[in-house]
Amino acid sequence: MLRESPAFLWDAREAAMKAASVAEGRERESYLADWVLQAAVERQLEILGEALKNLRSADPATASRVPDVHAIIATRNIPRRMKLRQVQDSTPPS
């Protein structure tokens, strides 16, 4: 494990715990109706994905020990893709 790897893992763990704690006990409808909650969870997922992406770049051997690391990294882009799709869907045809 490289010297900076523990910091990346700590960032990832903290972001995952924050995302889980802020959404804990919320029903899907409640989550979807609360844009502030959505923004908080999305931001933590971005931080989580970025931390693991940085770990994978700096220390692939350690990153490979994180279950589903590639899928977790990919989640950081989902909110952006969803927002882009919403904008595209709401744009009137030319």
Side-chain angles (χ1 to χ4, degrees):
M1 184 180 294
L2 298 179
R3 190 181 72 207
E4 62 270 14
S5 298
F8 295 136
L9 291 167
W10 186 87
D11 287 344
R13 180 179 179 269
E14 286 295 305
M17 290 175 54
K18 287 176 182 178
S21 71
V22 77
E24 186 176 356
R26 302 294 290 260
E27 296 293 328
R28 183 175 191 271
E29 295 77 24
S30 172
Y31 173 81
L32 293 175
D34 187 342
W35 68 269
V36 174
L37 177 61
Q38 290 177 42
V41 171
E42 288 172 8
R43 180 65 184 134
Q44 294 308 311
L45 293 177
E46 289 172 359
I47 292 169
L48 170 60
E50 284 297 314
L52 292 180
K53 180 183 77 80
N54 292 336
L55 176 66
R56 184 176 64 183
S57 295
D59 188 353
T62 299
S64 70
R65 297 175 57 198
V66 176
D68 301 316
V69 69
H70 302 295
I72 296 168
I73 291 169
T75 63
R76 77 188 198 286
N77 296 320
I78 291 172
R80 280 182 258 164
R81 289 183 193 138
M82 290 175 62
K83 287 181 179 121
L84 178 60
R85 190 174 304 131
Q86 288 172 345
V87 168
Q88 290 171 341
D89 290 347
S90 66
T91 304
S94 319

